[in-house]
Amino acid sequence: MPKNELLVNPQDIQRHVKGNSRLRELLKAIYKHRISYLYIAPFTFCFLAFIFIPIVMAFGLSFTYYNAIEPPRFIGWKNF
């Protein structure tokens, strides 16, 4: 391999830098509107804790045999 041959394509470097600049711009925008995120944080926490997580847990338990005495046992599609 010749010594002057590039191992990395310059276009790949430009794409990588552009991707980092997009991330940097996103983080700047988030920081700029940080008060707004603080206002929606309680709703987000309650939504995750009382709605989203129970739905995911119910979906997972729907594929198990569970009677509250024994640990859940995976049975797959037999519940349906």
Side-chain angles (χ1 to χ4, degrees):
M1 178 183 295
K3 288 185 177 183
N4 61 358
E5 185 177 330
L6 291 174
L7 297 176
V8 179
N9 187 354
Q11 293 171 344
D12 291 338
I13 294 172
Q14 288 174 347
R15 272 191 233 122
H16 182 69
V17 169
K18 184 183 276 189
N20 284 341
S21 66
R22 286 182 189 167
L23 177 62
R24 190 175 300 122
E25 291 298 320
L26 175 65
L27 292 175
K28 283 181 184 178
I30 289 172
Y31 186 76
K32 180 180 176 184
H33 301 291
R34 65 188 177 274
I35 299 298
S36 300
Y37 288 108
L38 285 175
Y39 280 124
I40 65 170
F43 167 77
T44 304
F45 173 74
C46 290
F47 177 79
L48 290 174
F50 299 114
I51 295 176
F52 183 73
I53 292 173
I55 289 173
V56 171
M57 294 291 292
F59 180 76
L61 284 174
S62 71
F63 291 102
T64 63
Y65 172 75
Y66 181 66
N67 63 7
I69 297 173
E70 302 170 1
R73 193 168 20 120
F74 182 76
I75 60 170
W77 290 102
K78 291 180 184 176
N79 276 343
F80 301 101

